Amino acid sequence: MIKKFLPDQHVKSVFEISPEKLKSRGIKAIITDLDNTLVEWDRPNATPKLIKWFDDMKKNNIMITIVSNNNEERVKAFSEPHGIPFIFQARKPMGRAFRKALAQMGVKKEEVVVIGDQLLTDVFGGNRSGIHTILVVPVAKTDGFITKFNRQVERILLNWFRKKGMIQWED
Ligand SMILES: [Mg+2]
């Protein structure tokens, strides 16, 4: 059960994830979190570097859906300018939004990765749905109100995994 909180992979940022690497593993699509995964939770728009990352994925036919627990206003304003499909108020770690994203992109769970900065929502949700999960280091050191609580639980889980030798990376 506790292993459902353990990501399959860990990277410093989304920029370490390249279309070439994804394609070599048969991955056709990305389900990604928004806040503190793609940009800081309080930054309204994508950065030029992130826009380039989006374009790079698009050129390589890697589809992207943004799946966020945040509200419609935030997620829509961020995603729409780039023509990226999005699901707001996703209620991660519940599986419904992940299933919806798979159906919308017309891909199987084996052809997708879930990217996110939180163990309790993104990683747990992705793992429960049987999707390869990639944990990123949060873009910002700060968090929104609810996330602050989740981070405390997360720290306990990470310490446990580290003690058991299940993760190698540093904070
Ligand atoms: Mg997040």
Side-chain angles (χ1 to χ4, degrees):
M1 165 64 192
I2 197 164
K3 283 191 185 167
K4 283 264 190 283
F5 293 96
L6 188 67
D8 295 298
Q9 206 184 328
H10 177 266
V11 294
K12 286 216 167 67
S13 83
V14 292
F15 303 116
E16 282 182 32
I17 303 165
S18 71
E20 292 76 20
K21 273 187 227 164
L22 294 176
K23 284 205 289 196
S24 73
R25 293 195 1 242
I27 299 299
K28 295 178 180 166
I30 292 169
I31 292 174
T32 181
D33 174 50
L34 169 53
D35 296 319
N36 271 349
T37 295
L38 297 178
V39 293
E40 294 89 342
W41 65 280
D42 53 354
R43 179 192 289 273
N45 299 115
T47 59
K49 193 176 178 186
L50 185 65
I51 293 169
K52 201 187 155 291
W53 188 80
F54 287 154
D55 289 343
D56 211 23
M57 291 298 172
K58 200 175 187 178
K59 265 184 235 152
N60 284 278
N61 300 313
I62 304 279
M63 294 174 277
I64 300 177
T65 297
I66 293 175
V67 174
S68 171
N69 284 354
N70 212 330
N71 61 44
E72 179 173 12
E73 192 187 0
R74 157 66 166 159
V75 185
K76 189 177 176 178
F78 181 90
S79 314
E80 230 172 31
H82 311 289
I84 296 175
F86 57 91
I87 297 171
F88 57 89
Q89 285 170 355
R91 295 173 178 272
K92 293 177 284 184
M94 305 294 275
R96 194 161 169 261
F98 294 108
R99 287 195 296 275
K100 191 176 167 188
L102 292 180
Q104 283 177 355
M105 294 191 283
V107 289
K108 289 180 272 189
K109 60 184 194 312
E110 295 80 13
E111 299 169 327
V112 182
V113 293
V114 166
I115 307 173
D117 70 302
Q118 284 197 68
L119 293 184
L120 268 59
T121 53
D122 309 309
V123 171
F124 184 47
N127 284 343
R128 285 179 73 207
S129 301
I131 306 173
H132 182 93
T133 50
I134 306 176
L135 182 70
V136 302
V137 177
V139 178
K141 289 262 185 288
T142 60
D143 281 302
F145 180 72
I146 299 167
T147 306
K148 271 184 190 150
F149 169 76
N150 283 348
R151 289 289 180 212
Q152 296 181 356
V153 180
E154 193 165 85
R155 214 158 294 137
I156 295 166
L157 285 166
L158 284 171
N159 284 336
W160 192 86
F161 287 138
R162 200 162 282 134
K163 230 165 48 193
K164 297 277 172 187
M166 292 163 84
I167 55 174
Q168 276 83 37
W169 69 80
E170 298 299 312
D171 273 328

